[in-house]
Amino acid sequence: MTFLVSRIVGSKIAKGAVVGALAAAAIGLAAPISSASHEASWREGCRGYWYSTSGHGYCSNATNFPSYGYWTSYNCNAEIDTQHYDDLYRGYVGKYDTHECTFKINRTHVSL
């Protein structure tokens, strides 16, 4: 009888361990992968940054004389791409314009 009880208890512990391991693996596979990137070069003091689903423009020193206007393009994965125009003042430093894609963003590009 003792053998039967230990076999049942051992079996439940083993099953619990297997279920726990499979649940952990499923969560690990389903969790979204985070990413961050930016354009390699600056365009008149500004460039695009993007993360998993959002992007923005950033300037270290806006120098697009005489207009100081910048187009920021957002390349979304499963939806229509978006483009915004922003007027910035000379020497502007900081983040400007933000766009959120529903599923994934592929790239953010700053142009004049």
Side-chain angles (χ1 to χ4, degrees):
M1 186 64 140
T2 307
F3 174 74
L4 183 60
V5 171
S6 65
R7 188 169 177 204
I8 292 171
V9 171
S11 173
K12 287 183 180 180
I13 291 172
K15 286 179 186 177
V18 169
V19 169
L22 290 174
I27 290 170
L29 292 174
I33 298 171
S34 179
S35 64
S37 194
H38 61 78
E39 289 185 284
S41 60
W42 294 86
R43 173 90 60 210
E44 299 297 328
C46 300
R47 67 179 174 188
Y49 284 80
W50 62 96
Y51 308 95
S52 297
T53 58
S54 68
H56 68 269
Y58 181 85
C59 295
S60 66
N61 181 17
T63 59
N64 185 20
F65 181 78
S67 71
Y68 299 105
Y70 295 85
W71 285 100
T72 309
S73 304
Y74 302 97
N75 180 334
C76 296
N77 196 37
E79 59 197 272
I80 297 172
D81 296 342
T82 303
Q83 190 175 48
H84 301 154
Y85 182 80
D86 295 282
D87 281 321
L88 305 173
Y89 59 84
R90 180 177 177 258
Y92 178 82
V93 175
K95 180 175 156 180
Y96 73 93
D97 203 89
T98 301
H99 181 72
E100 183 82 26
C101 297
T102 304
F103 301 104
K104 179 181 184 268
I105 191 166
N106 299 316
R107 183 167 197 244
T108 301
H109 175 69
V110 174
S111 58
L112 308 176

